[in-house]
Amino acid sequence: MQLLDGRKLSKKIELQITEETKKLKESCGCTPGLAVVLVGQDPASAAYVGMKKKACDRVGFYSITHDMPQDISQEAIEQIIIRMNEDPSIDGILIQLPLPAQIDTTKLLELVDPKKDVDGFHPFNVGRLVTNLDGFVPCTPLGVMELLKEYDIDVKGKNCVVVGASNIVGKPMASLLLNAEATVEICHIHTDDLKRHTLNADMIFVGVGVINLITPDMVKDDVVIVDIGVSRTKEGKLVGDVEFEAVSKKSSYITPSPGGVGPMTIAMLLSNTLKAAKANAQKKKQN
Ligand code: GUN
């Protein structure tokens, strides 16, 4: 069994991004800029946003967090997004999800300029991904593909089972795998007899937030396991969706959680923001 070490790879990617950021600053005076919208006091969301901001600092990006109260109106957030769309110092816009119930999330995501949509949640970029065209791809599944590439794991022709069908993880994960010529099954909360599907899988990608959902009797020998789940146990420990100790004994490769996919998500946010900044720099040169 070999660990898929996301912490190690994310550090390597951060070094590359730091170098490229320096070069971009030298060549055109452009500093990649990320704007984050955070609503309310959810501790998990605040922690994620804090990690994203620190990562921006490490690689030399400019970042700004719009910290808003839980009872903010739809109009007030829309105004901020419109301003960020027009602000030339901002290359990427990220709205931390989930948002409070009074907010129309879809409408906000559709308001973000697709060229600044570093989360890849705008329907324009979702459509580009599904049709296998270049665009912004959601950070978590993009990070998974980078991790597989680093360890020379080719998905072409393999039976890949994705457990979870969210817009943020499961659906884009399935699209990326399909684009890479895997055979893809998507399972979700209503799937009957999950084990019937996972037992057949060469690779399992699971991200539903259910502790110990994947047990050793559900996987075949030499399976590749990518654990995208994050939950906190009663004792306060962060864990994934896979019964790690037992399942790792049957796996050829497995991500730890934490330390697998999580750091890759942040590395891909930096990568997407740099991509947006480069495109903007190119546009400035042409004008
Ligand atoms: N909430 C949980 N995951 C994510 C993510 O990748 N991006 C954003 N914006 N919000 C999230």
Side-chain angles (χ1 to χ4, degrees):
M1 178 276 289
Q2 194 176 351
L3 280 181
L4 298 170
D5 189 341
R7 227 170 244 148
K8 188 167 142 200
L9 177 56
S10 68
K11 281 189 187 139
K12 185 168 138 185
I13 292 170
E14 276 194 17
L15 282 179
Q16 287 163 357
I17 291 176
T18 306
E19 278 307 304
E20 288 195 53
T21 301
K22 254 192 229 153
K23 280 189 198 141
L24 192 66
K25 281 183 195 173
E26 280 161 14
S27 70
C28 69
C30 314
T31 300
L34 176 71
V36 178
V37 177
L38 173 66
V39 182
Q41 305 293 326
D42 176 54
S45 287
Y48 286 131
V49 166
M51 285 192 272
K52 289 168 184 177
K53 185 168 170 28
K54 274 193 195 145
C56 285
D57 293 344
R58 285 196 299 272
V59 299
F61 289 2
Y62 162 70
S63 75
I64 180 167
T65 304
H66 293 276
D67 222 325
M68 326 249 233
Q70 180 78 15
D71 61 356
I72 189 144
S73 68
Q74 176 81 19
E75 292 68 31
I77 308 191
E78 286 180 8
Q79 282 313 310
I80 285 174
I81 293 170
I82 290 166
R83 248 185 26 235
M84 295 297 107
N85 280 344
E86 288 165 358
D87 186 339
S89 71
I90 297 300
D91 299 292
I93 301 171
L94 180 149
I95 305 167
Q96 186 64 33
L97 303 180
L99 293 169
Q102 80 274 12
I103 302 297
D104 182 341
T105 300
T106 305
K107 197 167 169 219
L108 286 188
L109 295 178
E110 288 191 2
L111 191 61
V112 173
D113 180 344
K115 300 215 157 23
K116 296 190 177 188
D117 174 35
V118 287
D119 247 334
F121 293 165
H122 190 290
F124 175 88
N125 284 311
V126 176
R128 304 274 303 177
L129 171 60
V130 170
T131 44
N132 201 8
L133 297 169
D134 184 48
F136 288 109
V137 175
C139 302
T140 298
L142 184 60
V144 170
M145 296 307 281
E146 284 296 311
L147 201 48
L148 296 178
K149 198 160 54 167
E150 178 72 8
Y151 287 84
D152 288 324
I153 300 170
D154 190 2
V155 303
K156 185 172 180 173
K158 297 283 184 271
N159 286 327
C160 291
V161 169
V162 178
V163 186
S166 68
N167 292 336
I168 295 179
V169 176
K171 287 185 210 166
M173 187 75 254
S175 290
L176 283 169
L177 291 167
L178 192 58
N179 291 347
E181 301 176 324
T183 302
V184 185
E185 262 186 89
I186 309 175
C187 300
H188 46 76
I189 193 97
H190 300 297
T191 298
D192 285 336
D193 194 4
L194 180 61
K195 180 175 170 177
R196 183 166 65 84
H197 299 271
T198 56
L199 259 184
N200 215 19
D202 299 313
M203 305 187 189
I204 299 173
F205 304 78
V206 56
V208 289
V210 177
I211 298 173
N212 291 337
L213 177 69
I214 305 296
T215 48
D217 58 301
M218 295 171 73
V219 307
K220 68 178 185 184
D221 284 337
D222 294 327
V223 66
V224 174
I225 299 278
V226 176
D227 190 349
I228 311 167
V230 186
S231 306
R232 215 174 261 283
T233 63
K234 275 186 271 166
E235 296 76 33
K237 190 176 159 220
L238 282 178
V239 293
D241 291 348
V242 178
E243 203 183 302
F244 183 84
E245 283 305 321
V247 173
S248 63
K249 291 194 176 83
K250 292 183 82 174
S251 312
S252 53
Y253 294 90
I254 186 166
T255 56
S257 182
V261 176
M264 291 304 298
T265 297
I266 297 196
M268 292 304 102
L269 173 64
L270 299 174
S271 172
N272 280 349
T273 304
L274 180 63
K275 176 175 168 166
K278 281 182 179 170
N280 280 337
Q282 197 62 31
K283 221 167 48 194
K284 272 182 214 156
K285 249 190 218 165
Q286 283 160 2
N287 289 338

